[in-house]
Amino acid sequence: MTSKPKDFISGLLVFLVLFNVIDALFTVVWLSLGIPEANPIMARFSQSPVVFVLLKMTVVCWGSLILWFHREKKLASYGVYGLSCFYFGVTVLHVWLSWLFITKVMT
């Protein structure tokens, strides 16, 4: 049986992957509107949306799997907490910028 902190870490990892899916989808939309990718590493792969999304999701899923295997270690737990907070913030930023863009276009 797993303990509550391990279950919490597992749940955060699921949300981390979901936040990254949302980030990838928003990024593809922004790229199609001519807005450049903010991450200089991922910007190199932004010419092809398929390659961009596949690469991003591959890296995120492998990284999440590594963190999950090491979830009992403090450093991995801190990494999961930090990345989850960061990508939650990125998701909120995407939604906020979308709202600004839509309201600007509608007026």
Side-chain angles (χ1 to χ4, degrees), residues 48-69:
S48 169
V50 173
V51 171
F52 178 85
V53 171
L54 285 175
L55 177 64
K56 180 173 182 61
M57 296 320 304
T58 300
V59 170
V60 168
C61 288
W62 275 105
S64 295
L65 193 60
I66 291 167
L67 288 169
W68 186 79
F69 279 121

Side-chain angles (χ1 to χ4, degrees), residues 1-14 64 67-74 76-77 80-81:
M1 180 171 252
T2 60
S3 67
K4 294 292 181 194
K6 291 179 191 173
D7 292 342
F8 186 71
I9 295 290
S10 298
L12 281 179
L13 284 168
V14 170
S64 295
L67 288 169
W68 186 79
F69 279 121
H70 296 285
R71 67 191 179 278
E72 294 160 355
K73 297 181 177 152
K74 277 190 175 188
S77 296
V80 172
Y81 295 137

Side-chain angles (χ1 to χ4, degrees), residues 2 5 19-20 29 39 44-45 54-55 70 77 79 86 96 103:
T2 60
F19 291 148
N20 271 278
V29 170
N39 179 340
R44 297 174 189 242
F45 305 99
L54 285 175
L55 177 64
H70 296 285
S77 296
F86 177 78
W96 180 67
T103 56

